[in-house]
mmCIF file of all heavy atoms in Angstrom:
data_model
loop_
_atom_site.group_PDB
_atom_site.id
_atom_site.type_symbol
_atom_site.label_atom_id
_atom_site.label_comp_id
_atom_site.label_asym_id
_atom_site.label_seq_id
_atom_site.Cartn_x
_atom_site.Cartn_y
_atom_site.Cartn_z
ATOM 1 N N THR A 1 -9.672 -34.440 -83.975
ATOM 2 C CA THR A 1 -8.595 -35.412 -84.140
ATOM 3 C C THR A 1 -9.034 -36.537 -85.064
ATOM 4 O O THR A 1 -10.222 -36.865 -85.152
ATOM 5 C CB THR A 1 -8.138 -36.002 -82.787
ATOM 6 O OG1 THR A 1 -9.230 -36.651 -82.160
ATOM 7 C CG2 THR A 1 -7.578 -34.924 -81.878
ATOM 8 N N ILE A 2 -8.057 -37.095 -85.741
ATOM 9 C CA ILE A 2 -8.275 -38.222 -86.630
ATOM 10 C C ILE A 2 -7.319 -39.332 -86.209
ATOM 11 O O ILE A 2 -6.425 -39.112 -85.397
ATOM 12 C CB ILE A 2 -8.021 -37.852 -88.101
ATOM 13 C CG1 ILE A 2 -6.557 -37.417 -88.302
ATOM 14 C CG2 ILE A 2 -8.988 -36.786 -88.580
ATOM 15 C CD1 ILE A 2 -6.150 -37.256 -89.757
ATOM 16 N N PHE A 3 -7.521 -40.525 -86.773
ATOM 17 C CA PHE A 3 -6.516 -41.561 -86.616
ATOM 18 C C PHE A 3 -6.428 -42.356 -87.903
ATOM 19 O O PHE A 3 -7.388 -42.449 -88.670
ATOM 20 C CB PHE A 3 -6.783 -42.458 -85.404
ATOM 21 C CG PHE A 3 -8.003 -43.321 -85.486
ATOM 22 C CD1 PHE A 3 -7.892 -44.650 -85.875
ATOM 23 C CD2 PHE A 3 -9.245 -42.836 -85.148
ATOM 24 C CE1 PHE A 3 -9.013 -45.468 -85.935
ATOM 25 C CE2 PHE A 3 -10.372 -43.637 -85.200
ATOM 26 C CZ PHE A 3 -10.257 -44.957 -85.597
ATOM 27 N N LEU A 4 -5.224 -42.849 -88.162
ATOM 28 C CA LEU A 4 -4.950 -43.642 -89.340
ATOM 29 C C LEU A 4 -4.537 -45.034 -88.909
ATOM 30 O O LEU A 4 -3.836 -45.194 -87.901
ATOM 31 C CB LEU A 4 -3.826 -43.007 -90.168
ATOM 32 C CG LEU A 4 -4.033 -41.559 -90.618
ATOM 33 C CD1 LEU A 4 -2.823 -41.080 -91.404
ATOM 34 C CD2 LEU A 4 -5.296 -41.413 -91.436
ATOM 35 N N VAL A 5 -4.960 -46.021 -89.663
ATOM 36 C CA VAL A 5 -4.617 -47.418 -89.411
ATOM 37 C C VAL A 5 -3.894 -47.926 -90.648
ATOM 38 O O VAL A 5 -4.350 -47.703 -91.777
ATOM 39 C CB VAL A 5 -5.881 -48.273 -89.166
ATOM 40 C CG1 VAL A 5 -5.508 -49.718 -88.894
ATOM 41 C CG2 VAL A 5 -6.718 -47.705 -88.034
ATOM 42 N N ARG A 6 -2.787 -48.620 -90.432
ATOM 43 C CA ARG A 6 -2.033 -49.186 -91.553
ATOM 44 C C ARG A 6 -2.087 -50.707 -91.505
ATOM 45 O O ARG A 6 -1.805 -51.313 -90.470
ATOM 46 C CB ARG A 6 -0.579 -48.723 -91.495
ATOM 47 C CG ARG A 6 0.266 -49.290 -92.607
ATOM 48 C CD ARG A 6 1.682 -48.784 -92.534
ATOM 49 N NE ARG A 6 2.520 -49.507 -93.466
ATOM 50 C CZ ARG A 6 3.828 -49.495 -93.459
ATOM 51 N NH1 ARG A 6 4.471 -48.761 -92.561
ATOM 52 N NH2 ARG A 6 4.515 -50.198 -94.322
ATOM 53 N N GLN A 7 -2.471 -51.284 -92.626
ATOM 54 C CA GLN A 7 -2.452 -52.737 -92.789
ATOM 55 C C GLN A 7 -1.769 -53.009 -94.125
ATOM 56 O O GLN A 7 -2.407 -52.921 -95.180
ATOM 57 C CB GLN A 7 -3.851 -53.323 -92.753
ATOM 58 C CG GLN A 7 -4.487 -53.218 -91.384
ATOM 59 C CD GLN A 7 -5.762 -54.010 -91.290
ATOM 60 O OE1 GLN A 7 -6.591 -53.987 -92.183
ATOM 61 N NE2 GLN A 7 -5.910 -54.718 -90.183
ATOM 62 N N GLY A 8 -0.465 -53.296 -94.064
ATOM 63 C CA GLY A 8 0.311 -53.466 -95.289
ATOM 64 C C GLY A 8 0.360 -52.163 -96.055
ATOM 65 O O GLY A 8 0.747 -51.132 -95.521
ATOM 66 N N LYS A 9 -0.095 -52.202 -97.303
ATOM 67 C CA LYS A 9 -0.104 -50.999 -98.145
ATOM 68 C C LYS A 9 -1.396 -50.205 -98.003
ATOM 69 O O LYS A 9 -1.520 -49.118 -98.546
ATOM 70 C CB LYS A 9 0.108 -51.383 -99.607
ATOM 71 C CG LYS A 9 1.476 -51.951 -99.870
ATOM 72 C CD LYS A 9 1.655 -52.281 -101.331
ATOM 73 C CE LYS A 9 3.053 -52.840 -101.567
ATOM 74 N NZ LYS A 9 3.289 -53.134 -102.985
ATOM 75 N N LYS A 10 -2.352 -50.740 -97.276
ATOM 76 C CA LYS A 10 -3.643 -50.062 -97.092
ATOM 77 C C LYS A 10 -3.591 -49.132 -95.888
ATOM 78 O O LYS A 10 -3.079 -49.490 -94.831
ATOM 79 C CB LYS A 10 -4.759 -51.082 -96.894
ATOM 80 C CG LYS A 10 -4.968 -51.970 -98.071
ATOM 81 C CD LYS A 10 -6.346 -51.785 -98.581
ATOM 82 C CE LYS A 10 -6.567 -52.741 -99.737
ATOM 83 N NZ LYS A 10 -7.513 -52.218 -100.657
ATOM 84 N N ILE A 11 -4.163 -47.944 -96.062
ATOM 85 C CA ILE A 11 -4.286 -46.961 -94.986
ATOM 86 C C ILE A 11 -5.759 -46.604 -94.863
ATOM 87 O O ILE A 11 -6.414 -46.270 -95.848
ATOM 88 C CB ILE A 11 -3.475 -45.676 -95.285
ATOM 89 C CG1 ILE A 11 -2.000 -45.991 -95.544
ATOM 90 C CG2 ILE A 11 -3.641 -44.662 -94.148
ATOM 91 C CD1 ILE A 11 -1.222 -46.464 -94.349
ATOM 92 N N TYR A 12 -6.279 -46.686 -93.647
ATOM 93 C CA TYR A 12 -7.663 -46.315 -93.360
ATOM 94 C C TYR A 12 -7.642 -45.123 -92.417
ATOM 95 O O TYR A 12 -6.815 -45.072 -91.503
ATOM 96 C CB TYR A 12 -8.404 -47.488 -92.704
ATOM 97 C CG TYR A 12 -8.364 -48.749 -93.528
ATOM 98 C CD1 TYR A 12 -7.409 -49.734 -93.282
ATOM 99 C CD2 TYR A 12 -9.270 -48.948 -94.565
ATOM 100 C CE1 TYR A 12 -7.362 -50.892 -94.044
ATOM 101 C CE2 TYR A 12 -9.232 -50.110 -95.334
ATOM 102 C CZ TYR A 12 -8.265 -51.069 -95.070
ATOM 103 O OH TYR A 12 -8.217 -52.204 -95.832
ATOM 104 N N GLY A 13 -8.540 -44.183 -92.625
ATOM 105 C CA GLY A 13 -8.591 -43.002 -91.776
ATOM 106 C C GLY A 13 -9.993 -42.713 -91.284
ATOM 107 O O GLY A 13 -10.974 -42.855 -92.036
ATOM 108 N N TYR A 14 -10.083 -42.317 -90.005
ATOM 109 C CA TYR A 14 -11.370 -42.012 -89.376
ATOM 110 C C TYR A 14 -11.236 -40.806 -88.453
ATOM 111 O O TYR A 14 -10.164 -40.551 -87.897
ATOM 112 C CB TYR A 14 -11.858 -43.212 -88.542
ATOM 113 C CG TYR A 14 -12.050 -44.458 -89.342
ATOM 114 C CD1 TYR A 14 -11.081 -45.458 -89.350
ATOM 115 C CD2 TYR A 14 -13.203 -44.649 -90.110
ATOM 116 C CE1 TYR A 14 -11.249 -46.603 -90.109
ATOM 117 C CE2 TYR A 14 -13.367 -45.795 -90.873
ATOM 118 C CZ TYR A 14 -12.393 -46.768 -90.872
ATOM 119 O OH TYR A 14 -12.551 -47.885 -91.623
ATOM 120 N N TRP A 15 -12.348 -40.107 -88.264
ATOM 121 C CA TRP A 15 -12.403 -39.110 -87.198
ATOM 122 C C TRP A 15 -12.340 -39.879 -85.883
ATOM 123 O O TRP A 15 -12.956 -40.941 -85.757
ATOM 124 C CB TRP A 15 -13.690 -38.287 -87.268
ATOM 125 C CG TRP A 15 -13.717 -37.348 -88.435
ATOM 126 C CD1 TRP A 15 -14.458 -37.473 -89.570
ATOM 127 C CD2 TRP A 15 -12.957 -36.149 -88.582
ATOM 128 N NE1 TRP A 15 -14.204 -36.424 -90.413
ATOM 129 C CE2 TRP A 15 -13.290 -35.594 -89.832
ATOM 130 C CE3 TRP A 15 -12.031 -35.489 -87.783
ATOM 131 C CZ2 TRP A 15 -12.732 -34.409 -90.302
ATOM 132 C CZ3 TRP A 15 -11.467 -34.314 -88.247
ATOM 133 C CH2 TRP A 15 -11.818 -33.785 -89.491
ATOM 134 N N ASN A 16 -11.618 -39.384 -84.916
ATOM 135 C CA ASN A 16 -11.485 -40.054 -83.618
ATOM 136 C C ASN A 16 -12.690 -39.706 -82.753
ATOM 137 O O ASN A 16 -12.600 -38.954 -81.789
ATOM 138 C CB ASN A 16 -10.173 -39.653 -82.948
ATOM 139 C CG ASN A 16 -9.876 -40.484 -81.722
ATOM 140 O OD1 ASN A 16 -10.595 -41.426 -81.412
ATOM 141 N ND2 ASN A 16 -8.818 -40.119 -81.018
ATOM 142 N N CYS A 17 -13.817 -40.272 -83.130
ATOM 143 C CA CYS A 17 -15.090 -39.938 -82.508
ATOM 144 C C CYS A 17 -16.009 -41.159 -82.591
ATOM 145 O O CYS A 17 -16.416 -41.556 -83.682
ATOM 146 C CB CYS A 17 -15.696 -38.756 -83.262
ATOM 147 S SG CYS A 17 -17.228 -38.137 -82.600
ATOM 148 N N CYS A 18 -16.321 -41.760 -81.449
ATOM 149 C CA CYS A 18 -17.146 -42.955 -81.428
ATOM 150 C C CYS A 18 -18.557 -42.655 -81.959
ATOM 151 O O CYS A 18 -19.113 -41.578 -81.712
ATOM 152 C CB CYS A 18 -17.237 -43.510 -80.008
ATOM 153 S SG CYS A 18 -18.234 -45.017 -79.910
ATOM 154 N N ALA A 19 -19.119 -43.629 -82.651
ATOM 155 C CA ALA A 19 -20.463 -43.482 -83.216
ATOM 156 C C ALA A 19 -21.555 -43.483 -82.142
ATOM 157 O O ALA A 19 -22.696 -43.157 -82.413
ATOM 158 C CB ALA A 19 -20.720 -44.616 -84.218
ATOM 159 N N HIS A 20 -21.211 -43.813 -80.897
ATOM 160 C CA HIS A 20 -22.198 -43.878 -79.823
ATOM 161 C C HIS A 20 -22.291 -42.557 -79.065
ATOM 162 O O HIS A 20 -23.301 -41.867 -79.131
ATOM 163 C CB HIS A 20 -21.852 -45.025 -78.870
ATOM 164 C CG HIS A 20 -22.771 -45.159 -77.700
ATOM 165 N ND1 HIS A 20 -22.318 -45.309 -76.419
ATOM 166 C CD2 HIS A 20 -24.122 -45.174 -77.612
ATOM 167 C CE1 HIS A 20 -23.345 -45.403 -75.599
ATOM 168 N NE2 HIS A 20 -24.453 -45.327 -76.290
ATOM 169 N N LEU A 21 -21.215 -42.197 -78.353
ATOM 170 C CA LEU A 21 -21.247 -40.990 -77.524
ATOM 171 C C LEU A 21 -20.393 -39.841 -78.049
ATOM 172 O O LEU A 21 -20.376 -38.765 -77.463
ATOM 173 C CB LEU A 21 -20.773 -41.320 -76.099
ATOM 174 C CG LEU A 21 -21.644 -42.287 -75.305
ATOM 175 C CD1 LEU A 21 -20.995 -42.618 -73.969
ATOM 176 C CD2 LEU A 21 -23.026 -41.703 -75.091
ATOM 177 N N GLY A 22 -19.655 -40.083 -79.117
ATOM 178 C CA GLY A 22 -18.803 -39.039 -79.666
ATOM 179 C C GLY A 22 -17.485 -38.874 -78.933
ATOM 180 O O GLY A 22 -16.763 -37.915 -79.160
ATOM 181 N N THR A 23 -17.161 -39.804 -78.042
ATOM 182 C CA THR A 23 -15.904 -39.742 -77.297
ATOM 183 C C THR A 23 -14.765 -40.292 -78.163
ATOM 184 O O THR A 23 -14.995 -41.070 -79.090
ATOM 185 C CB THR A 23 -15.993 -40.559 -75.997
ATOM 186 O OG1 THR A 23 -16.335 -41.913 -76.331
ATOM 187 C CG2 THR A 23 -17.038 -39.975 -75.060
ATOM 188 N N PRO A 24 -13.521 -39.927 -77.849
ATOM 189 C CA PRO A 24 -12.390 -40.491 -78.592
ATOM 190 C C PRO A 24 -12.299 -42.007 -78.376
ATOM 191 O O PRO A 24 -12.654 -42.510 -77.308
ATOM 192 C CB PRO A 24 -11.167 -39.796 -77.982
ATOM 193 C CG PRO A 24 -11.698 -38.577 -77.309
ATOM 194 C CD PRO A 24 -13.093 -38.916 -76.877
ATOM 195 N N LEU A 25 -11.823 -42.722 -79.373
ATOM 196 C CA LEU A 25 -11.708 -44.172 -79.267
ATOM 197 C C LEU A 25 -10.514 -44.605 -78.431
ATOM 198 O O LEU A 25 -10.585 -45.607 -77.728
ATOM 199 C CB LEU A 25 -11.594 -44.811 -80.657
ATOM 200 C CG LEU A 25 -12.916 -45.254 -81.285
ATOM 201 C CD1 LEU A 25 -13.764 -44.087 -81.681
ATOM 202 C CD2 LEU A 25 -12.652 -46.170 -82.434
ATOM 203 N N ASP A 26 -9.404 -43.894 -78.535
ATOM 204 C CA ASP A 26 -8.169 -44.352 -77.880
ATOM 205 C C ASP A 26 -8.209 -44.135 -76.377
ATOM 206 O O ASP A 26 -8.593 -43.092 -75.899
ATOM 207 C CB ASP A 26 -6.931 -43.718 -78.494
ATOM 208 C CG ASP A 26 -7.004 -42.203 -78.648
ATOM 209 O OD1 ASP A 26 -8.111 -41.630 -78.628
ATOM 210 O OD2 ASP A 26 -5.943 -41.587 -78.802
ATOM 211 N N TRP A 27 -7.795 -45.172 -75.630
ATOM 212 C CA TRP A 27 -7.768 -45.094 -74.170
ATOM 213 C C TRP A 27 -6.485 -44.443 -73.678
ATOM 214 O O TRP A 27 -6.413 -43.946 -72.573
ATOM 215 C CB TRP A 27 -7.979 -46.460 -73.537
ATOM 216 C CG TRP A 27 -6.985 -47.514 -73.930
ATOM 217 C CD1 TRP A 27 -6.999 -48.268 -75.063
ATOM 218 C CD2 TRP A 27 -5.847 -47.922 -73.194
ATOM 219 N NE1 TRP A 27 -5.940 -49.126 -75.085
ATOM 220 C CE2 TRP A 27 -5.209 -48.941 -73.942
ATOM 221 C CE3 TRP A 27 -5.287 -47.548 -71.973
ATOM 222 C CZ2 TRP A 27 -4.048 -49.568 -73.512
ATOM 223 C CZ3 TRP A 27 -4.138 -48.193 -71.549
ATOM 224 C CH2 TRP A 27 -3.529 -49.181 -72.314
ATOM 225 N N LYS A 28 -5.446 -44.452 -74.500
ATOM 226 C CA LYS A 28 -4.250 -43.637 -74.323
ATOM 227 C C LYS A 28 -3.739 -43.383 -75.732
ATOM 228 O O LYS A 28 -4.150 -44.070 -76.673
ATOM 229 C CB LYS A 28 -3.234 -44.298 -73.397
ATOM 230 C CG LYS A 28 -2.587 -45.552 -73.866
ATOM 231 C CD LYS A 28 -1.589 -46.044 -72.803
ATOM 232 C CE LYS A 28 -0.727 -47.141 -73.362
ATOM 233 N NZ LYS A 28 0.293 -47.586 -72.416
ATOM 234 N N PRO A 29 -2.889 -42.406 -75.927
ATOM 235 C CA PRO A 29 -2.505 -42.033 -77.294
ATOM 236 C C PRO A 29 -2.091 -43.229 -78.160
ATOM 237 O O PRO A 29 -1.300 -44.079 -77.744
ATOM 238 C CB PRO A 29 -1.328 -41.079 -77.078
ATOM 239 C CG PRO A 29 -1.615 -40.455 -75.746
ATOM 240 C CD PRO A 29 -2.229 -41.573 -74.917
ATOM 241 N N ASP A 30 -2.689 -43.288 -79.334
ATOM 242 C CA ASP A 30 -2.375 -44.265 -80.377
ATOM 243 C C ASP A 30 -2.767 -45.708 -80.038
ATOM 244 O O ASP A 30 -2.287 -46.651 -80.670
ATOM 245 C CB ASP A 30 -0.898 -44.197 -80.768
ATOM 246 C CG ASP A 30 -0.499 -42.812 -81.262
ATOM 247 O OD1 ASP A 30 -1.360 -42.105 -81.813
ATOM 248 O OD2 ASP A 30 0.670 -42.437 -81.093
ATOM 249 N N HIS A 31 -3.656 -45.919 -79.090
ATOM 250 C CA HIS A 31 -4.159 -47.259 -78.751
ATOM 251 C C HIS A 31 -5.634 -47.340 -79.157
ATOM 252 O O HIS A 31 -6.509 -46.915 -78.412
ATOM 253 C CB HIS A 31 -3.979 -47.545 -77.260
ATOM 254 C CG HIS A 31 -2.568 -47.808 -76.893
ATOM 255 N ND1 HIS A 31 -1.631 -46.814 -76.778
ATOM 256 C CD2 HIS A 31 -1.925 -48.965 -76.646
ATOM 257 C CE1 HIS A 31 -0.465 -47.343 -76.456
ATOM 258 N NE2 HIS A 31 -0.617 -48.650 -76.374
#
């Protein structure tokens, strides 16, 4: 899974995988 962040016209994208344990970042979908 990936996630995208929008700030105005800028879009940032990351793998949904924490750099510590590899768990997903979101505590519920899209958070």
Side-chain angles (χ1 to χ4, degrees):
T1 60
I2 62 170
F3 67 98
L4 304 179
V5 180
R6 179 179 171 194
Q7 292 190 316
K9 294 182 179 182
K10 297 241 183 209
I11 304 291
Y12 304 96
Y14 300 99
W15 289 107
N16 190 5
C17 183
C18 181
H20 178 228
L21 296 175
T23 57
L25 267 70
D26 49 341
W27 58 278
K28 66 179 191 176
D30 302 331
H31 286 76

